[in-house]
Amino acid sequence: MSFMNMTVVRGDITTRAVDAIVNAANASLLGGGGVDGAIHRAAGPELLRACRLLHGCPTGSAKATPGFRLAARWIFHAVGPVWSGGTRGEAEKLAGCYRACLELAHQHGLRSIAFPALSTGIYKYPRRQAAEIAVRTCRTFGHSLERIEFVCFDEETAAIYRSLLARSLLAPEREQAAL
Ligand code: APR
């Protein structure tokens, strides 16, 4: 995936007019606070009914529902890891969330997707480490999407993503591969 397809957006992911937005869900898929609460409020009550039929989702993976009242046609509910100091496989589980969402987008033939900063709120994942995993996983994914948005709710997170993408665009190919 080219960095040219990736962009940083400041704001509320529920307003993004992309093919799919990603929810920072929990394993029950029955709603919560943060992004989860915002998406359920904006998508309407049909979303919870659809989520109940999914019977949960393991950490490090994602499941799809329609977007209902959202501008986005799909919602990919990703279950990120809770940060436990970095010794419990958190990095691999977080990368798994991004990969699972990119796979879902590929399977559905989608062209654009918007990610929140998964696990970096209530789940306390360190912002920069999480952003590096997000960008690297999208960069090395085998199929290309026209547009990947990293939607950041706060300026600190946005600045981290901007610096990562700027560095990646300037880095020689070998370094980019290392990202
Ligand atoms: N749009 C975009 N980003 C948002 C929004 C929004 N409307 N609301 C919050 N965020 C940001 C947060 O500031 C943080 O950077 O999304 C990131 C993820 O934060 P959380 O929503 O707290 O998600 P996470 O850390 O993955 O914790 C998931 O929280 O809401 C519960 O049910 C959810 O148990 C699960 C847990």
Side-chain angles (χ1 to χ4, degrees), residues 129-169:
Q129 292 179 57
E132 287 172 348
I133 289 167
V135 172
R136 179 172 55 240
T137 307
C138 291
R139 168 87 182 88
T140 54
F141 184 66
H143 304 282
S144 190
L145 275 92
E146 280 177 28
R147 182 175 176 79
I148 294 182
E149 293 184 351
F150 294 110
V151 183
C152 304
F153 212 45
D154 60 271
E155 186 48 36
E156 182 187 347
T157 303
I160 290 170
Y161 273 94
R162 286 194 202 104
S163 74
L164 274 179
L165 290 188
R167 196 182 80 193
S168 314
L169 283 169

PDB file of all heavy atoms in Angstrom, residues 129-169:
ATOM      1  N   GLN A 129       3.276   3.987  19.745  1.00  0.00           N
ATOM      2  CA  GLN A 129       3.492   2.571  19.392  1.00  0.00           C
ATOM      3  C   GLN A 129       2.301   2.052  18.590  1.00  0.00           C
ATOM      4  O   GLN A 129       2.462   1.340  17.596  1.00  0.00           O
ATOM      5  CB  GLN A 129       3.668   1.731  20.661  1.00  0.00           C
ATOM      6  CG  GLN A 129       4.951   2.024  21.433  1.00  0.00           C
ATOM      7  CD  GLN A 129       5.037   1.167  22.688  1.00  0.00           C
ATOM      8  OE1 GLN A 129       4.993  -0.046  22.604  1.00  0.00           O
ATOM      9  NE2 GLN A 129       5.140   1.807  23.845  1.00  0.00           N
ATOM     10  N   ALA A 130       1.104   2.460  19.002  1.00  0.00           N
ATOM     11  CA  ALA A 130      -0.103   2.013  18.290  1.00  0.00           C
ATOM     12  C   ALA A 130      -0.129   2.589  16.875  1.00  0.00           C
ATOM     13  O   ALA A 130      -0.459   1.881  15.912  1.00  0.00           O
ATOM     14  CB  ALA A 130      -1.343   2.447  19.059  1.00  0.00           C
ATOM     15  N   ALA A 131       0.258   3.865  16.740  1.00  0.00           N
ATOM     16  CA  ALA A 131       0.245   4.495  15.413  1.00  0.00           C
ATOM     17  C   ALA A 131       1.261   3.827  14.492  1.00  0.00           C
ATOM     18  O   ALA A 131       0.995   3.602  13.301  1.00  0.00           O
ATOM     19  CB  ALA A 131       0.546   5.988  15.547  1.00  0.00           C
ATOM     20  N   GLU A 132       2.431   3.475  15.030  1.00  0.00           N
ATOM     21  CA  GLU A 132       3.449   2.804  14.198  1.00  0.00           C
ATOM     22  C   GLU A 132       2.933   1.460  13.695  1.00  0.00           C
ATOM     23  O   GLU A 132       3.118   1.099  12.537  1.00  0.00           O
ATOM     24  CB  GLU A 132       4.752   2.650  14.999  1.00  0.00           C
ATOM     25  CG  GLU A 132       5.493   3.962  15.173  1.00  0.00           C
ATOM     26  CD  GLU A 132       6.684   3.882  16.130  1.00  0.00           C
ATOM     27  OE1 GLU A 132       6.798   2.851  16.829  1.00  0.00           O
ATOM     28  OE2 GLU A 132       7.471   4.844  16.168  1.00  0.00           O
ATOM     29  N   ILE A 133       2.215   0.748  14.569  1.00  0.00           N
ATOM     30  CA  ILE A 133       1.641  -0.541  14.168  1.00  0.00           C
ATOM     31  C   ILE A 133       0.565  -0.330  13.103  1.00  0.00           C
ATOM     32  O   ILE A 133       0.505  -1.032  12.084  1.00  0.00           O
ATOM     33  CB  ILE A 133       1.068  -1.267  15.398  1.00  0.00           C
ATOM     34  CG1 ILE A 133       2.205  -1.763  16.293  1.00  0.00           C
ATOM     35  CG2 ILE A 133       0.157  -2.428  14.997  1.00  0.00           C
ATOM     36  CD1 ILE A 133       1.765  -2.226  17.671  1.00  0.00           C
ATOM     37  N   ALA A 134      -0.256   0.689  13.279  1.00  0.00           N
ATOM     38  CA  ALA A 134      -1.322   0.979  12.312  1.00  0.00           C
ATOM     39  C   ALA A 134      -0.745   1.274  10.935  1.00  0.00           C
ATOM     40  O   ALA A 134      -1.127   0.662   9.931  1.00  0.00           O
ATOM     41  CB  ALA A 134      -2.147   2.163  12.802  1.00  0.00           C
ATOM     42  N   VAL A 135       0.238   2.185  10.891  1.00  0.00           N
ATOM     43  CA  VAL A 135       0.810   2.604   9.600  1.00  0.00           C
ATOM     44  C   VAL A 135       1.573   1.455   8.953  1.00  0.00           C
ATOM     45  O   VAL A 135       1.423   1.165   7.766  1.00  0.00           O
ATOM     46  CB  VAL A 135       1.716   3.839   9.783  1.00  0.00           C
ATOM     47  CG1 VAL A 135       2.476   4.167   8.501  1.00  0.00           C
ATOM     48  CG2 VAL A 135       0.873   5.039  10.228  1.00  0.00           C
ATOM     49  N   ARG A 136       2.357   0.729   9.775  1.00  0.00           N
ATOM     50  CA  ARG A 136       3.151  -0.387   9.216  1.00  0.00           C
ATOM     51  C   ARG A 136       2.230  -1.478   8.666  1.00  0.00           C
ATOM     52  O   ARG A 136       2.440  -2.009   7.579  1.00  0.00           O
ATOM     53  CB  ARG A 136       4.079  -0.970  10.276  1.00  0.00           C
ATOM     54  CG  ARG A 136       4.911  -2.136   9.760  1.00  0.00           C
ATOM     55  CD  ARG A 136       5.958  -2.580  10.780  1.00  0.00           C
ATOM     56  NE  ARG A 136       5.354  -2.908  12.069  1.00  0.00           N
ATOM     57  CZ  ARG A 136       5.660  -2.298  13.217  1.00  0.00           C
ATOM     58  NH1 ARG A 136       6.559  -1.335  13.221  1.00  0.00           N
ATOM     59  NH2 ARG A 136       5.096  -2.638  14.342  1.00  0.00           N
ATOM     60  N   THR A 137       1.165  -1.806   9.403  1.00  0.00           N
ATOM     61  CA  THR A 137       0.258  -2.873   8.965  1.00  0.00           C
ATOM     62  C   THR A 137      -0.440  -2.482   7.660  1.00  0.00           C
ATOM     63  O   THR A 137      -0.557  -3.290   6.742  1.00  0.00           O
ATOM     64  CB  THR A 137      -0.766  -3.191  10.060  1.00  0.00           C
ATOM     65  OG1 THR A 137      -0.080  -3.449  11.291  1.00  0.00           O
ATOM     66  CG2 THR A 137      -1.629  -4.396   9.690  1.00  0.00           C
ATOM     67  N   CYS A 138      -0.872  -1.217   7.581  1.00  0.00           N
ATOM     68  CA  CYS A 138      -1.521  -0.765   6.339  1.00  0.00           C
ATOM     69  C   CYS A 138      -0.505  -0.745   5.196  1.00  0.00           C
ATOM     70  O   CYS A 138      -0.810  -1.145   4.075  1.00  0.00           O
ATOM     71  CB  CYS A 138      -2.107   0.622   6.535  1.00  0.00           C
ATOM     72  SG  CYS A 138      -3.524   0.622   7.647  1.00  0.00           S
ATOM     73  N   ARG A 139       0.720  -0.323   5.505  1.00  0.00           N
ATOM     74  CA  ARG A 139       1.768  -0.208   4.479  1.00  0.00           C
ATOM     75  C   ARG A 139       2.088  -1.557   3.875  1.00  0.00           C
ATOM     76  O   ARG A 139       2.303  -1.684   2.684  1.00  0.00           O
ATOM     77  CB  ARG A 139       3.033   0.371   5.136  1.00  0.00           C
ATOM     78  CG  ARG A 139       4.296   0.283   4.295  1.00  0.00           C
ATOM     79  CD  ARG A 139       4.439   1.466   3.370  1.00  0.00           C
ATOM     80  NE  ARG A 139       5.625   1.337   2.530  1.00  0.00           N
ATOM     81  CZ  ARG A 139       5.621   0.697   1.353  1.00  0.00           C
ATOM     82  NH1 ARG A 139       4.516   0.139   0.906  1.00  0.00           N
ATOM     83  NH2 ARG A 139       6.718   0.621   0.634  1.00  0.00           N
ATOM     84  N   THR A 140       2.100  -2.598   4.705  1.00  0.00           N
ATOM     85  CA  THR A 140       2.565  -3.916   4.226  1.00  0.00           C
ATOM     86  C   THR A 140       1.409  -4.814   3.800  1.00  0.00           C
ATOM     87  O   THR A 140       1.626  -5.950   3.404  1.00  0.00           O
ATOM     88  CB  THR A 140       3.360  -4.627   5.353  1.00  0.00           C
ATOM     89  OG1 THR A 140       2.543  -4.675   6.521  1.00  0.00           O
ATOM     90  CG2 THR A 140       4.650  -3.878   5.653  1.00  0.00           C
ATOM     91  N   PHE A 141       0.165  -4.289   3.857  1.00  0.00           N
ATOM     92  CA  PHE A 141      -0.965  -5.124   3.454  1.00  0.00           C
ATOM     93  C   PHE A 141      -0.897  -5.391   1.957  1.00  0.00           C
ATOM     94  O   PHE A 141      -0.563  -4.511   1.176  1.00  0.00           O
ATOM     95  CB  PHE A 141      -2.289  -4.433   3.810  1.00  0.00           C
ATOM     96  CG  PHE A 141      -3.518  -5.256   3.510  1.00  0.00           C
ATOM     97  CD1 PHE A 141      -3.760  -6.428   4.217  1.00  0.00           C
ATOM     98  CD2 PHE A 141      -4.400  -4.877   2.509  1.00  0.00           C
ATOM     99  CE1 PHE A 141      -4.881  -7.200   3.939  1.00  0.00           C
ATOM    100  CE2 PHE A 141      -5.520  -5.649   2.224  1.00  0.00           C
ATOM    101  CZ  PHE A 141      -5.754  -6.808   2.945  1.00  0.00           C
ATOM    102  N   GLY A 142      -1.236  -6.612   1.559  1.00  0.00           N
ATOM    103  CA  GLY A 142      -0.984  -7.048   0.183  1.00  0.00           C
ATOM    104  C   GLY A 142      -1.892  -6.468  -0.883  1.00  0.00           C
ATOM    105  O   GLY A 142      -1.624  -6.592  -2.067  1.00  0.00           O
ATOM    106  N   HIS A 143      -3.003  -5.868  -0.481  1.00  0.00           N
ATOM    107  CA  HIS A 143      -3.914  -5.318  -1.503  1.00  0.00           C
ATOM    108  C   HIS A 143      -4.059  -3.822  -1.262  1.00  0.00           C
ATOM    109  O   HIS A 143      -3.994  -3.356  -0.132  1.00  0.00           O
ATOM    110  CB  HIS A 143      -5.288  -5.993  -1.398  1.00  0.00           C
ATOM    111  CG  HIS A 143      -5.230  -7.487  -1.504  1.00  0.00           C
ATOM    112  ND1 HIS A 143      -5.091  -8.138  -2.702  1.00  0.00           N
ATOM    113  CD2 HIS A 143      -5.253  -8.438  -0.534  1.00  0.00           C
ATOM    114  CE1 HIS A 143      -5.048  -9.442  -2.461  1.00  0.00           C
ATOM    115  NE2 HIS A 143      -5.146  -9.656  -1.172  1.00  0.00           N
ATOM    116  N   SER A 144      -4.280  -3.080  -2.336  1.00  0.00           N
ATOM    117  CA  SER A 144      -4.313  -1.627  -2.181  1.00  0.00           C
ATOM    118  C   SER A 144      -5.750  -1.098  -2.107  1.00  0.00           C
ATOM    119  O   SER A 144      -6.649  -1.618  -2.756  1.00  0.00           O
ATOM    120  CB  SER A 144      -3.606  -0.978  -3.388  1.00  0.00           C
ATOM    121  OG  SER A 144      -3.445   0.399  -3.118  1.00  0.00           O
ATOM    122  N   LEU A 145      -5.944  -0.110  -1.258  1.00  0.00           N
ATOM    123  CA  LEU A 145      -7.219   0.627  -1.233  1.00  0.00           C
ATOM    124  C   LEU A 145      -6.929   2.031  -1.743  1.00  0.00           C
ATOM    125  O   LEU A 145      -5.803   2.523  -1.604  1.00  0.00           O
ATOM    126  CB  LEU A 145      -7.770   0.720   0.198  1.00  0.00           C
ATOM    127  CG  LEU A 145      -8.593  -0.467   0.686  1.00  0.00           C
ATOM    128  CD1 LEU A 145      -7.683  -1.446   1.386  1.00  0.00           C
ATOM    129  CD2 LEU A 145      -9.664   0.004   1.658  1.00  0.00           C
ATOM    130  N   GLU A 146      -7.932   2.660  -2.299  1.00  0.00           N
ATOM    131  CA  GLU A 146      -7.714   4.013  -2.801  1.00  0.00           C
ATOM    132  C   GLU A 146      -7.455   5.002  -1.675  1.00  0.00           C
ATOM    133  O   GLU A 146      -6.682   5.955  -1.823  1.00  0.00           O
ATOM    134  CB  GLU A 146      -8.949   4.476  -3.593  1.00  0.00           C
ATOM    135  CG  GLU A 146      -8.989   3.934  -5.011  1.00  0.00           C
ATOM    136  CD  GLU A 146     -10.280   4.366  -5.708  1.00  0.00           C
ATOM    137  OE1 GLU A 146     -10.848   5.426  -5.357  1.00  0.00           O
ATOM    138  OE2 GLU A 146     -10.733   3.595  -6.576  1.00  0.00           O
ATOM    139  N   ARG A 147      -8.112   4.798  -0.513  1.00  0.00           N
ATOM    140  CA  ARG A 147      -8.008   5.797   0.550  1.00  0.00           C
ATOM    141  C   ARG A 147      -8.103   5.148   1.916  1.00  0.00           C
ATOM    142  O   ARG A 147      -9.059   4.397   2.175  1.00  0.00           O
ATOM    143  CB  ARG A 147      -9.151   6.819   0.376  1.00  0.00           C
ATOM    144  CG  ARG A 147      -9.152   7.955   1.379  1.00  0.00           C
ATOM    145  CD  ARG A 147     -10.251   8.951   1.032  1.00  0.00           C
ATOM    146  NE  ARG A 147     -10.375  10.012   2.006  1.00  0.00           N
ATOM    147  CZ  ARG A 147      -9.572  11.074   2.069  1.00  0.00           C
ATOM    148  NH1 ARG A 147      -8.586  11.201   1.203  1.00  0.00           N
ATOM    149  NH2 ARG A 147      -9.748  12.007   2.981  1.00  0.00           N
ATOM    150  N   ILE A 148      -7.109   5.428   2.748  1.00  0.00           N
ATOM    151  CA  ILE A 148      -7.140   5.015   4.152  1.00  0.00           C
ATOM    152  C   ILE A 148      -7.064   6.281   4.990  1.00  0.00           C
ATOM    153  O   ILE A 148      -6.136   7.078   4.819  1.00  0.00           O
ATOM    154  CB  ILE A 148      -5.960   4.104   4.502  1.00  0.00           C
ATOM    155  CG1 ILE A 148      -6.070   2.771   3.756  1.00  0.00           C
ATOM    156  CG2 ILE A 148      -5.907   3.851   6.017  1.00  0.00           C
ATOM    157  CD1 ILE A 148      -4.960   1.792   4.080  1.00  0.00           C
ATOM    158  N   GLU A 149      -8.065   6.506   5.847  1.00  0.00           N
ATOM    159  CA  GLU A 149      -8.048   7.666   6.725  1.00  0.00           C
ATOM    160  C   GLU A 149      -7.726   7.207   8.151  1.00  0.00           C
ATOM    161  O   GLU A 149      -8.314   6.241   8.635  1.00  0.00           O
ATOM    162  CB  GLU A 149      -9.431   8.365   6.741  1.00  0.00           C
ATOM    163  CG  GLU A 149      -9.809   9.001   5.441  1.00  0.00           C
ATOM    164  CD  GLU A 149     -11.129   9.764   5.547  1.00  0.00           C
ATOM    165  OE1 GLU A 149     -11.797   9.639   6.595  1.00  0.00           O
ATOM    166  OE2 GLU A 149     -11.476  10.461   4.561  1.00  0.00           O
ATOM    167  N   PHE A 150      -6.771   7.931   8.766  1.00  0.00           N
ATOM    168  CA  PHE A 150      -6.539   7.739  10.202  1.00  0.00           C
ATOM    169  C   PHE A 150      -7.237   8.914  10.876  1.00  0.00           C
ATOM    170  O   PHE A 150      -6.776  10.063  10.774  1.00  0.00           O
ATOM    171  CB  PHE A 150      -5.040   7.727  10.499  1.00  0.00           C
ATOM    172  CG  PHE A 150      -4.330   6.547   9.883  1.00  0.00           C
ATOM    173  CD1 PHE A 150      -3.441   6.729   8.815  1.00  0.00           C
ATOM    174  CD2 PHE A 150      -4.559   5.255  10.331  1.00  0.00           C
ATOM    175  CE1 PHE A 150      -2.791   5.644   8.231  1.00  0.00           C
ATOM    176  CE2 PHE A 150      -3.906   4.171   9.758  1.00  0.00           C
ATOM    177  CZ  PHE A 150      -3.034   4.362   8.697  1.00  0.00           C
ATOM    178  N   VAL A 151      -8.403   8.648  11.491  1.00  0.00           N
ATOM    179  CA  VAL A 151      -9.222   9.718  12.048  1.00  0.00           C
ATOM    180  C   VAL A 151      -8.863   9.905  13.519  1.00  0.00           C
ATOM    181  O   VAL A 151      -9.049   8.997  14.339  1.00  0.00           O
ATOM    182  CB  VAL A 151     -10.726   9.398  11.904  1.00  0.00           C
ATOM    183  CG1 VAL A 151     -11.563  10.566  12.423  1.00  0.00           C
ATOM    184  CG2 VAL A 151     -11.065   9.114  10.437  1.00  0.00           C
ATOM    185  N   CYS A 152      -8.305  11.067  13.825  1.00  0.00           N
ATOM    186  CA  CYS A 152      -7.791  11.324  15.180  1.00  0.00           C
ATOM    187  C   CYS A 152      -8.683  12.331  15.892  1.00  0.00           C
ATOM    188  O   CYS A 152      -9.025  13.375  15.333  1.00  0.00           O
ATOM    189  CB  CYS A 152      -6.369  11.875  15.086  1.00  0.00           C
ATOM    190  SG  CYS A 152      -5.260  10.779  14.169  1.00  0.00           S
ATOM    191  N   PHE A 153      -9.051  11.974  17.120  1.00  0.00           N
ATOM    192  CA  PHE A 153      -9.991  12.797  17.881  1.00  0.00           C
ATOM    193  C   PHE A 153      -9.274  13.932  18.588  1.00  0.00           C
ATOM    194  O   PHE A 153      -9.878  14.918  18.956  1.00  0.00           O
ATOM    195  CB  PHE A 153     -10.715  11.912  18.916  1.00  0.00           C
ATOM    196  CG  PHE A 153     -12.124  12.323  19.214  1.00  0.00           C
ATOM    197  CD1 PHE A 153     -13.003  12.652  18.208  1.00  0.00           C
ATOM    198  CD2 PHE A 153     -12.575  12.368  20.533  1.00  0.00           C
ATOM    199  CE1 PHE A 153     -14.321  13.023  18.488  1.00  0.00           C
ATOM    200  CE2 PHE A 153     -13.894  12.728  20.821  1.00  0.00           C
ATOM    201  CZ  PHE A 153     -14.755  13.057  19.794  1.00  0.00           C
ATOM    202  N   ASP A 154      -7.961  13.759  18.820  1.00  0.00           N
ATOM    203  CA  ASP A 154      -7.196  14.782  19.533  1.00  0.00           C
ATOM    204  C   ASP A 154      -5.954  15.147  18.718  1.00  0.00           C
ATOM    205  O   ASP A 154      -5.475  14.371  17.885  1.00  0.00           O
ATOM    206  CB  ASP A 154      -6.792  14.261  20.925  1.00  0.00           C
ATOM    207  CG  ASP A 154      -5.930  13.018  20.822  1.00  0.00           C
ATOM    208  OD1 ASP A 154      -6.477  11.910  20.785  1.00  0.00           O
ATOM    209  OD2 ASP A 154      -4.691  13.172  20.701  1.00  0.00           O
ATOM    210  N   GLU A 155      -5.438  16.328  18.991  1.00  0.00           N
ATOM    211  CA  GLU A 155      -4.318  16.864  18.205  1.00  0.00           C
ATOM    212  C   GLU A 155      -3.027  16.070  18.428  1.00  0.00           C
ATOM    213  O   GLU A 155      -2.250  15.862  17.502  1.00  0.00           O
ATOM    214  CB  GLU A 155      -4.076  18.336  18.542  1.00  0.00           C
ATOM    215  CG  GLU A 155      -3.029  19.011  17.659  1.00  0.00           C
ATOM    216  CD  GLU A 155      -3.229  18.746  16.157  1.00  0.00           C
ATOM    217  OE1 GLU A 155      -4.375  18.669  15.669  1.00  0.00           O
ATOM    218  OE2 GLU A 155      -2.195  18.546  15.466  1.00  0.00           O
ATOM    219  N   GLU A 156      -2.824  15.566  19.643  1.00  0.00           N
ATOM    220  CA  GLU A 156      -1.572  14.811  19.915  1.00  0.00           C
ATOM    221  C   GLU A 156      -1.508  13.578  19.027  1.00  0.00           C
ATOM    222  O   GLU A 156      -0.497  13.279  18.392  1.00  0.00           O
ATOM    223  CB  GLU A 156      -1.510  14.402  21.395  1.00  0.00           C
ATOM    224  CG  GLU A 156      -0.208  13.655  21.742  1.00  0.00           C
ATOM    225  CD  GLU A 156      -0.198  13.090  23.162  1.00  0.00           C
ATOM    226  OE1 GLU A 156      -1.074  13.462  23.976  1.00  0.00           O
ATOM    227  OE2 GLU A 156       0.680  12.244  23.431  1.00  0.00           O
ATOM    228  N   THR A 157      -2.639  12.876  18.948  1.00  0.00           N
ATOM    229  CA  THR A 157      -2.660  11.669  18.105  1.00  0.00           C
ATOM    230  C   THR A 157      -2.464  12.042  16.641  1.00  0.00           C
ATOM    231  O   THR A 157      -1.702  11.405  15.910  1.00  0.00           O
ATOM    232  CB  THR A 157      -3.987  10.918  18.304  1.00  0.00           C
ATOM    233  OG1 THR A 157      -4.150  10.597  19.698  1.00  0.00           O
ATOM    234  CG2 THR A 157      -4.031   9.631  17.485  1.00  0.00           C
ATOM    235  N   ALA A 158      -3.138  13.118  16.220  1.00  0.00           N
ATOM    236  CA  ALA A 158      -3.017  13.556  14.823  1.00  0.00           C
ATOM    237  C   ALA A 158      -1.567  13.911  14.491  1.00  0.00           C
ATOM    238  O   ALA A 158      -1.047  13.531  13.434  1.00  0.00           O
ATOM    239  CB  ALA A 158      -3.929  14.759  14.567  1.00  0.00           C
ATOM    240  N   ALA A 159      -0.893  14.589  15.414  1.00  0.00           N
ATOM    241  CA  ALA A 159       0.508  14.991  15.173  1.00  0.00           C
ATOM    242  C   ALA A 159       1.406  13.763  15.036  1.00  0.00           C
ATOM    243  O   ALA A 159       2.303  13.724  14.183  1.00  0.00           O
ATOM    244  CB  ALA A 159       0.976  15.887  16.320  1.00  0.00           C
ATOM    245  N   ILE A 160       1.135  12.738  15.830  1.00  0.00           N
ATOM    246  CA  ILE A 160       1.926  11.497  15.739  1.00  0.00           C
ATOM    247  C   ILE A 160       1.745  10.868  14.353  1.00  0.00           C
ATOM    248  O   ILE A 160       2.706  10.508  13.665  1.00  0.00           O
ATOM    249  CB  ILE A 160       1.514  10.510  16.848  1.00  0.00           C
ATOM    250  CG1 ILE A 160       1.964  11.010  18.224  1.00  0.00           C
ATOM    251  CG2 ILE A 160       2.066   9.112  16.575  1.00  0.00           C
ATOM    252  CD1 ILE A 160       1.402  10.220  19.407  1.00  0.00           C
ATOM    253  N   TYR A 161       0.488  10.756  13.925  1.00  0.00           N
ATOM    254  CA  TYR A 161       0.248  10.131  12.602  1.00  0.00           C
ATOM    255  C   TYR A 161       0.861  10.974  11.482  1.00  0.00           C
ATOM    256  O   TYR A 161       1.468  10.448  10.544  1.00  0.00           O
ATOM    257  CB  TYR A 161      -1.254   9.942  12.373  1.00  0.00           C
ATOM    258  CG  TYR A 161      -1.803   8.640  12.921  1.00  0.00           C
ATOM    259  CD1 TYR A 161      -2.363   8.576  14.195  1.00  0.00           C
ATOM    260  CD2 TYR A 161      -1.726   7.460  12.181  1.00  0.00           C
ATOM    261  CE1 TYR A 161      -2.846   7.388  14.709  1.00  0.00           C
ATOM    262  CE2 TYR A 161      -2.222   6.261  12.689  1.00  0.00           C
ATOM    263  CZ  TYR A 161      -2.773   6.232  13.942  1.00  0.00           C
ATOM    264  OH  TYR A 161      -3.250   5.048  14.461  1.00  0.00           O
ATOM    265  N   ARG A 162       0.711  12.291  11.572  1.00  0.00           N
ATOM    266  CA  ARG A 162       1.271  13.153  10.524  1.00  0.00           C
ATOM    267  C   ARG A 162       2.781  12.979  10.444  1.00  0.00           C
ATOM    268  O   ARG A 162       3.361  12.857   9.362  1.00  0.00           O
ATOM    269  CB  ARG A 162       0.936  14.629  10.802  1.00  0.00           C
ATOM    270  CG  ARG A 162      -0.501  14.990  10.521  1.00  0.00           C
ATOM    271  CD  ARG A 162      -0.691  16.511  10.483  1.00  0.00           C
ATOM    272  NE  ARG A 162      -2.110  16.836  10.746  1.00  0.00           N
ATOM    273  CZ  ARG A 162      -2.558  17.318  11.909  1.00  0.00           C
ATOM    274  NH1 ARG A 162      -1.710  17.574  12.895  1.00  0.00           N
ATOM    275  NH2 ARG A 162      -3.844  17.565  12.096  1.00  0.00           N
ATOM    276  N   SER A 163       3.433  12.914  11.602  1.00  0.00           N
ATOM    277  CA  SER A 163       4.906  12.793  11.586  1.00  0.00           C
ATOM    278  C   SER A 163       5.304  11.430  11.015  1.00  0.00           C
ATOM    279  O   SER A 163       6.258  11.309  10.250  1.00  0.00           O
ATOM    280  CB  SER A 163       5.468  12.976  12.999  1.00  0.00           C
ATOM    281  OG  SER A 163       5.207  11.822  13.788  1.00  0.00           O
ATOM    282  N   LEU A 164       4.543  10.399  11.347  1.00  0.00           N
ATOM    283  CA  LEU A 164       4.856   9.064  10.822  1.00  0.00           C
ATOM    284  C   LEU A 164       4.701   9.026   9.303  1.00  0.00           C
ATOM    285  O   LEU A 164       5.555   8.507   8.584  1.00  0.00           O
ATOM    286  CB  LEU A 164       3.913   8.033  11.450  1.00  0.00           C
ATOM    287  CG  LEU A 164       4.314   7.438  12.794  1.00  0.00           C
ATOM    288  CD1 LEU A 164       3.242   6.464  13.258  1.00  0.00           C
ATOM    289  CD2 LEU A 164       5.654   6.729  12.690  1.00  0.00           C
ATOM    290  N   LEU A 165       3.613   9.595   8.803  1.00  0.00           N
ATOM    291  CA  LEU A 165       3.380   9.543   7.353  1.00  0.00           C
ATOM    292  C   LEU A 165       4.386  10.430   6.630  1.00  0.00           C
ATOM    293  O   LEU A 165       4.908  10.057   5.577  1.00  0.00           O
ATOM    294  CB  LEU A 165       1.939   9.966   7.033  1.00  0.00           C
ATOM    295  CG  LEU A 165       0.849   8.989   7.459  1.00  0.00           C
ATOM    296  CD1 LEU A 165      -0.501   9.425   6.910  1.00  0.00           C
ATOM    297  CD2 LEU A 165       1.149   7.575   6.974  1.00  0.00           C
ATOM    298  N   ALA A 166       4.711  11.569   7.215  1.00  0.00           N
ATOM    299  CA  ALA A 166       5.693  12.470   6.572  1.00  0.00           C
ATOM    300  C   ALA A 166       7.045  11.773   6.488  1.00  0.00           C
ATOM    301  O   ALA A 166       7.702  11.752   5.455  1.00  0.00           O
ATOM    302  CB  ALA A 166       5.803  13.757   7.374  1.00  0.00           C
ATOM    303  N   ARG A 167       7.417  11.121   7.596  1.00  0.00           N
ATOM    304  CA  ARG A 167       8.720  10.417   7.627  1.00  0.00           C
ATOM    305  C   ARG A 167       8.711   9.276   6.609  1.00  0.00           C
ATOM    306  O   ARG A 167       9.680   9.055   5.886  1.00  0.00           O
ATOM    307  CB  ARG A 167       8.950   9.854   9.034  1.00  0.00           C
ATOM    308  CG  ARG A 167      10.392   9.465   9.293  1.00  0.00           C
ATOM    309  CD  ARG A 167      10.540   8.881  10.669  1.00  0.00           C
ATOM    310  NE  ARG A 167      10.116   7.465  10.683  1.00  0.00           N
ATOM    311  CZ  ARG A 167       9.899   6.785  11.811  1.00  0.00           C
ATOM    312  NH1 ARG A 167      10.001   7.388  12.973  1.00  0.00           N
ATOM    313  NH2 ARG A 167       9.566   5.529  11.768  1.00  0.00           N
ATOM    314  N   SER A 168       7.579   8.598   6.531  1.00  0.00           N
ATOM    315  CA  SER A 168       7.513   7.434   5.628  1.00  0.00           C
ATOM    316  C   SER A 168       7.611   7.881   4.179  1.00  0.00           C
ATOM    317  O   SER A 168       8.261   7.250   3.362  1.00  0.00           O
ATOM    318  CB  SER A 168       6.185   6.706   5.851  1.00  0.00           C
ATOM    319  OG  SER A 168       5.957   6.549   7.230  1.00  0.00           O
ATOM    320  N   LEU A 169       6.964   9.021   3.870  1.00  0.00           N
ATOM    321  CA  LEU A 169       6.983   9.478   2.474  1.00  0.00           C
ATOM    322  C   LEU A 169       8.394   9.888   2.070  1.00  0.00           C
ATOM    323  O   LEU A 169       8.811   9.743   0.941  1.00  0.00           O
ATOM    324  CB  LEU A 169       6.023  10.668   2.296  1.00  0.00           C
ATOM    325  CG  LEU A 169       4.545  10.300   2.238  1.00  0.00           C
ATOM    326  CD1 LEU A 169       3.679  11.550   2.331  1.00  0.00           C
ATOM    327  CD2 LEU A 169       4.259   9.528   0.955  1.00  0.00           C
TER     328      LEU A 169
END
